[in-house]
């Protein structure tokens, strides 16, 4: 599925995940620390979100799956990679 077909607002970062996932909890903590707003979609509760993640990740429920407004995507990023991407995102927002 094309990330551009993402059914969530195009001006915000969307994070697809599940409550029980430690990587998802860590990702949410990084967003909070970096003070970057995002939309959380729990794919255990949102079947459309689950379908999007499955289509995006070749049939895998890979979480967190993070979609940026420009259509770029991170799947299961480490904290360092996520922080670098969020810094770049914040820089784009101020220019």
């Amino acid at each position: 599925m094309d990330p551009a077909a993402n059914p969530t607002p195009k001006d915000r970062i969307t994070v697809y995940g599940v409550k029980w996932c430690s990587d998802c909890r860590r990702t949410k903590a990084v967003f909070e620390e970096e003070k970057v707003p995002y939309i959380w979609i729990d794919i255990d509760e949102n079947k459309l979100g689950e379908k999007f993640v499955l289509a995006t990740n070749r049939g895998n429920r890979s979480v967190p799956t993070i979609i940026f407004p420009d259509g770029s995507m991170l799947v299961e990023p480490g904290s360092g990679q996520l922080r670098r991407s969020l810094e770049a995102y914040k820089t784009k927002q101020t220019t």
Side-chain angles (χ1 to χ4, degrees):
M1 181 176 279
D2 177 4
N6 177 5
T8 59
K10 305 286 187 245
D11 61 339
R12 302 276 300 271
I13 297 172
T14 303
V15 179
Y16 294 87
V18 291
K19 293 175 193 152
W20 49 264
C21 169
S22 61
D23 286 343
C24 295
R25 289 192 299 269
R26 179 184 43 77
T27 292
K28 290 172 84 171
V30 170
F31 270 90
E32 297 303 321
E33 290 166 12
E34 296 293 329
K35 297 180 176 39
V36 175
Y38 63 97
I39 297 168
W40 170 256
I41 297 180
D42 187 320
I43 66 168
D44 279 343
E45 298 173 2
N46 183 311
K47 293 304 169 193
L48 184 59
E50 180 183 39
K51 285 181 182 180
F52 177 78
V53 168
L54 289 169
T56 301
N57 295 297
R58 292 182 232 118
N60 296 307
R61 287 180 100 230
S62 300
V63 291
T65 293
I66 304 166
I67 308 296
F68 289 83
D70 66 1
S72 63
M73 175 175 40
L74 292 175
V75 179
E76 299 178 357
S79 294
Q81 180 185 16
L82 178 56
R83 285 182 198 284
R84 287 188 298 276
S85 294
L86 292 179
E87 284 301 320
Y89 170 78
K90 289 192 287 188
T91 300
K92 286 181 188 176
Q93 298 303 302
T94 60
T95 59

